[in-house]
Amino acid sequence: MTDAPSADIVIPVYNEEHSLPVCLERLLPFCRENLADYRWRVVIADNGSIDGTLDVANQLAGQYEGEVGVVHLEQKGRGRALKRAWSESDADIRAYMDVDLSTDINRIPDLLGAVRDGHDVATGSRLKRGAQTTRSFKREFVSRSYNLMIKSVFLSGFSDAQCGFKAISRRAADNLVPLIKDNAWFFDTELLLLAEKNRYPIADFPVAWEEDPDTRVKIVSTAWEDIKGLARLRFRGRPRVR
C-alpha cells in the first residue's frame, strides 16, 4: 500500500536487554494484524545502555528486517532518544511507547488514527474519564498533583502530561521537536505545552494502563525535575513556531 501513511513506533530503552525481546514478541504480531492501513516500523532507540541492550536490538533488527530499526545514542536520556529518533524519521506519523507496554496496545490504532485524521499530537491519558489505571497510591497521588499543577499554571486542556503513549505528525516533528529543551522525562510535558501554545490540535483519550513493578522511574527525583521544567516554561516562556 504505497499510498498508506507511514508510521514509526519508537521504543526508547536504557539497559533493557531482557525486556526488549519480550516487548517485540507482543508488539510485532499486534502491528502485523492491526496496522494494515499503515506502512509501519518499530524503532528501538537505545540511549546510552551499558548492558547488552544494543546487541540485542541489532539482533532483533536482523531477525525482523524491514519491521525493526535501531537508533543508538551514546548519552542517556529518554527525551534525547525521542528527539533523535523522531527527527531522523521520515514517517508521516511518529509515535512512541514504553518498552514495558504498560499502556494497552489495543489503543495503538486509535493513537495513530488520531494523527492521521488531523491532530498534530495524540496522547493517551490515565486520568481522563474512562481510563483504567492500576498503580500504587504514591504514583497516583504524584501524577494527579502534577497534572493539577500544570492546569493551574498553564490552563492546559490535556489531562495527563506524562503518559508514555504519544504520537505526532510530520509537521509537529519538524516544528516542535527542535524547540524542546529537555532531554529526560519532562520531554512529554514540554511537547504538549508547546503544541498547545502554538495551537496544534491535540487528541487526548483514555487508555488502560498497568504499572510495571520493575519500573526504572524514580518518582520523587523525576517529579522535582518536572517542577523545575514547569518553572522554566512559566517564567522564560514557551517559544512560538516561526
Side-chain angles (χ1 to χ4, degrees), residues 12-15 45-50 54 71-85 181 183-184:
V13 291
Y14 174 74
N15 291 350
D46 172 47
N47 55 109
S49 293
I50 56 176
L54 181 59
V71 172
H72 174 65
L73 296 83
E74 295 292 340
Q75 292 178 287
K76 184 180 177 182
R78 186 182 71 159
R80 181 178 285 111
L82 289 172
K83 286 181 189 178
R84 171 82 171 273
K181 293 184 179 180
N183 289 318

Side-chain angles (χ1 to χ4, degrees), residues 64-120:
Y64 301 108
E65 186 175 359
E67 292 183 334
V68 176
V70 178
V71 172
H72 174 65
L73 296 83
E74 295 292 340
Q75 292 178 287
K76 184 180 177 182
R78 186 182 71 159
R80 181 178 285 111
L82 289 172
K83 286 181 189 178
R84 171 82 171 273
W86 279 357
S87 297
E88 292 184 354
S89 172
D90 62 357
D92 300 314
I93 304 169
R94 301 160 202 190
Y96 99 86
M97 58 198 64
D98 295 328
V99 67
D100 58 15
L101 301 180
S102 292
T103 304
D104 183 3
I105 60 176
N106 285 301
R107 299 309 301 269
I108 294 176
D110 297 319
L111 184 73
L112 302 182
V115 177
R116 179 197 59 199
D117 295 340
H119 292 87
D120 281 300

Side-chain angles (χ1 to χ4, degrees), residues 35-240:
L35 300 183
D37 293 337
Y38 299 89
R39 292 176 288 120
W40 60 269
R41 181 179 66 145
V42 173
V43 179
I44 303 165
D46 172 47
N47 55 109
S49 293
I50 56 176
D51 65 353
T53 296
L54 181 59
D55 290 335
V56 171
N58 286 327
Q59 291 170 8
L60 291 168
Q63 180 180 351
Y64 301 108
E65 186 175 359
E67 292 183 334
V68 176
V70 178
V71 172
H72 174 65
L73 296 83
E74 295 292 340
Q75 292 178 287
K76 184 180 177 182
R78 186 182 71 159
R80 181 178 285 111
L82 289 172
K83 286 181 189 178
R84 171 82 171 273
W86 279 357
S87 297
E88 292 184 354
S89 172
D90 62 357
D92 300 314
I93 304 169
R94 301 160 202 190
Y96 99 86
M97 58 198 64
D98 295 328
V99 67
D100 58 15
L101 301 180
S102 292
T103 304
D104 183 3
I105 60 176
N106 285 301
R107 299 309 301 269
I108 294 176
D110 297 319
L111 184 73
L112 302 182
V115 177
R116 179 197 59 199
D117 295 340
H119 292 87
D120 281 300
V121 179
T123 180
S125 173
R126 299 160 295 183
L127 302 176
K128 200 176 182 70
R129 184 186 295 271
Q132 299 175 336
T133 304
T134 304
R135 57 179 167 182
S136 66
F137 172 80
K138 177 182 178 181
R139 192 159 181 174
E140 180 78 7
F141 176 79
V142 171
S143 177
R144 288 189 177 277
S145 299
Y146 176 65
N147 282 285
L148 181 59
M149 184 185 303
I150 295 173
K151 286 186 178 296
S152 299
V153 174
F154 296 97
L155 303 178
S156 58
F158 52 85
S159 58
D160 184 0
Q162 292 288 56
C163 184
F165 195 72
K166 290 180 171 61
I168 60 174
S169 65
R170 180 190 298 272
R171 180 176 83 127
D174 291 343
N175 295 335
L176 294 177
V177 171
L179 300 178
I180 299 174
K181 293 184 179 180
D182 190 81
N183 289 318
W185 297 96
F186 187 67
F187 174 93
D188 292 65
T189 304
E190 191 164 1
L191 169 66
L192 293 177
L193 287 173
L194 289 178
E196 200 166 60
K197 176 70 173 182
N198 287 278
R199 298 184 179 180
Y200 281 43
I202 299 174
D204 180 36
F205 59 92
V207 295
W209 189 92
E210 185 172 354
E211 183 175 11
D212 178 9
D214 190 38
T215 181
R216 311 292 174 84
V217 181
K218 298 178 180 178
I219 302 299
V220 176
S221 59
T222 299
W224 176 239
E225 291 301 315
D226 287 347
I227 290 172
K228 291 195 292 186
L230 291 177
R232 169 172 57 83
L233 294 181
R234 172 65 179 84
F235 295 109
R236 297 184 186 178
R238 288 173 284 172
R240 292 189 178 276

